[in-house]
Amino acid sequence: MKTYFYKPIDIVPLVVFRIFFGFLIACESFGAILTGWVYNNLVSPEITFNFIGFDFLQTIRQGNLMYFYFVLMGLLGLAIMLGFRYKIAIILYTFMWAGAYFMQKSAYNNHYYLLLIISFLMIFFPAHKSYSLDVKYGHTKKEDTMPFWIIFTVIFQISIVYIFAALAKFYPDWLDGTFTKNLLSNALKNSFAVDLFSQKWFYLFIAYAGIAFDLFIIPLLLYKKTRTLALIASIIFHLFNAITLQIGIFPFFALTFALFFYNPSSVRKLFLRKNNFIEIDSSKNNLYNKKIFLFIIVPFLVLQLVLPIRHHFIKGNVLLTEEGHRLSWRMMLRHKSGFILFSIVDNKTKERWSYNFNKNLSPKQAATLATKPDFIWQYCQKIKEEYKGRDISIYVTCNVSINNKSYQPLINPEADLAKAEWNYFFHNNWIVLNK
């Protein structure tokens, strides 16, 4: 194991990745302000739906403070790119991005989760040990090599993303093109695109090309003879997604992982033409952060294998119940819509009335509320807090449609959600199971 995981290799792929990574997260942070994402999701809403258990994050969501929060993350991204006080910058950025990620779910995106994972891993990587301001100013010792376990970690993590994304697509509405047809119909609006995207052969091609890409891109990148062809396919795939789906930095972020599949000497020759060769003594193991790898990275990768399969151990169809959906690479799989009614009963007077949820939710939040059980439970707790001091029951009538098909009940209308508990690990009995 020492020979395999700790053999020294050129550090350049990690250094170049650090530069791209820092630049992209700076673009993501500043872009979130300029495009209105921060305003729409964190400043304007009266309330936000944080991950359950992270209510304390609401204390930092104070009006315009969120603009400064994202400006600081952007500056940290630039510091990471330049390798300036790298350790401080990457740790601060990881905590701040985790805060932004867990603070709201209305704009939930698997890509944000991947960014959090990579940020966490980069804390333990020696990405600032070469071609950095830290080296220039003597903040750290220059290193030309790194242990192979760093390359292994990145490739293993990205493999998890693609493989589980592919497996999640094996369900009827994906395989018959229903979802891709619906997805593309809401993409580009020019006449040529509308005509092309509505063709059955095209949306079926996109459906199966998506499965094939997710399943085979990692093996093709690992195999030297198909590596460049796989890179070209990746560029086409991700640029298509960038144009049609408009998903921020992710297509470009995903392309940067190709750096770890190529021979480090090739990366050095491409990006460092004036210093395109170093001599590495392969007889000496590089034991950088050996204990970190064994006791943090390996358990973390095991956790990444467990999270995407946990929904198989929870009763019900995850497409409907959402239990086990997040943190599982189940990305862009279905479209859900629904309608919802909240009824409140005063248990002392027996008075019953409807609650207007539109009064304190944005249109996007209101639309999401009707399709997500955890949102519904959280909102009921907010209603309960609003009527604190009164003995009330809260009943919800909610029906959802998956991929524009017939509506079906999501919440048991006889369950009192004012008294319901949230089960973090298993099925919540007030969520209706498929018949």
Side-chain angles (χ1 to χ4, degrees), residues 144-356:
D144 290 322
T145 67
M146 62 180 176
F148 179 74
W149 68 257
I150 291 174
I151 295 282
F152 169 84
T153 298
V154 175
I155 292 177
F156 191 86
Q157 177 61 64
I158 298 306
S159 300
I160 290 173
V161 174
Y162 281 111
I163 290 171
F164 281 108
L167 295 177
K169 292 179 174 67
F170 284 92
Y171 85 100
D173 283 2
W174 187 281
L175 298 176
D176 67 10
T178 296
F179 175 71
T180 49
K181 179 182 179 181
N182 294 339
L183 178 68
L184 293 172
S185 68
N186 295 316
L188 300 180
K189 296 300 182 181
N190 67 71
S191 58
F192 172 77
V194 170
D195 181 61
L196 177 64
F197 291 176
S198 63
Q199 298 294 319
K200 184 176 181 179
W201 69 266
F202 185 79
Y203 61 74
L204 281 175
F205 167 75
I206 294 298
Y208 284 89
I211 293 175
F213 182 86
D214 288 345
L215 274 180
F216 298 115
I217 191 60
I218 298 298
L220 291 174
L221 282 169
L222 287 170
Y223 186 47
K224 184 177 180 180
K225 291 184 177 180
T226 58
R227 188 170 295 146
T228 300
L229 182 63
L231 177 59
I232 294 171
S234 294
I235 292 172
I236 295 172
F237 176 83
H238 288 299
L239 287 182
F240 176 82
N241 286 343
I243 294 169
T244 59
L245 304 179
Q246 299 177 352
I247 47 179
I249 67 167
F250 176 72
F252 312 102
F253 183 42
L255 287 172
T256 63
F257 293 115
L259 290 163
F260 296 101
F261 291 88
Y262 278 87
N263 189 305
S265 62
S266 299
V267 178
R268 177 174 286 273
K269 289 177 182 178
L270 178 62
F271 290 96
L272 303 175
R273 295 180 182 274
K274 293 183 179 180
N275 186 16
N276 60 14
F277 177 77
I278 62 166
E279 188 171 345
I280 298 175
D281 184 358
S282 58
S283 66
K284 295 182 179 179
N285 289 328
N286 187 323
L287 300 180
Y288 175 84
N289 274 0
K290 176 184 175 181
K291 291 184 178 179
I292 292 293
F293 174 61
L294 291 176
F295 299 112
I296 294 182
I297 303 298
V298 171
F300 179 79
L301 293 177
V302 172
L303 176 65
Q304 290 300 307
L305 285 172
V306 172
L307 287 175
I309 63 173
R310 72 189 190 280
H311 70 88
H312 292 294
F313 301 93
I314 302 174
K315 291 190 294 184
N317 182 352
V318 64
L319 288 170
L320 177 67
T321 68
E322 300 280 326
E323 295 175 303
H325 173 81
R326 294 190 184 92
L327 316 184
S328 300
W329 312 116
R330 302 181 57 80
M331 38 197 156
M332 306 197 79
L333 284 177
R334 76 283 184 271
H335 168 73
K336 291 178 75 174
S337 59
F339 61 85
I340 188 168
L341 296 171
F342 291 87
S343 297
I344 303 177
V345 175
D346 186 313
N347 293 316
K348 184 176 181 180
T349 66
K350 304 305 179 183
E351 179 187 3
R352 188 183 189 102
W353 66 96
S354 296
Y355 188 88
N356 179 18

Side-chain angles (χ1 to χ4, degrees), residues 366-434:
T368 306
L369 177 67
T371 63
K372 301 285 194 294
D374 58 331
F375 278 60
I376 295 170
W377 181 84
Q378 285 177 286
Y379 195 69
C380 287
Q381 307 318 301
K382 293 181 185 297
I383 296 174
K384 183 179 177 180
E385 183 67 22
E386 182 179 334
Y387 288 91
K388 189 175 182 179
R390 297 177 64 176
D391 181 16
I392 63 168
S393 294
I394 305 172
Y395 300 98
V396 175
T397 301
C398 180
N399 290 274
V400 296
S401 167
I402 300 175
N403 297 329
N404 298 331
K405 294 189 174 181
S406 60
Y407 282 86
Q408 52 189 314
L410 178 62
I411 305 298
N412 180 356
E414 297 180 0
D416 181 1
L417 293 195
K419 297 178 176 60
E421 298 291 333
W422 178 258
N423 192 320
Y424 290 87
F425 303 106
F426 298 103
H427 175 64
N428 289 276
N429 292 327
W430 44 269
I431 301 175
V432 175
L433 297 175
N434 281 342

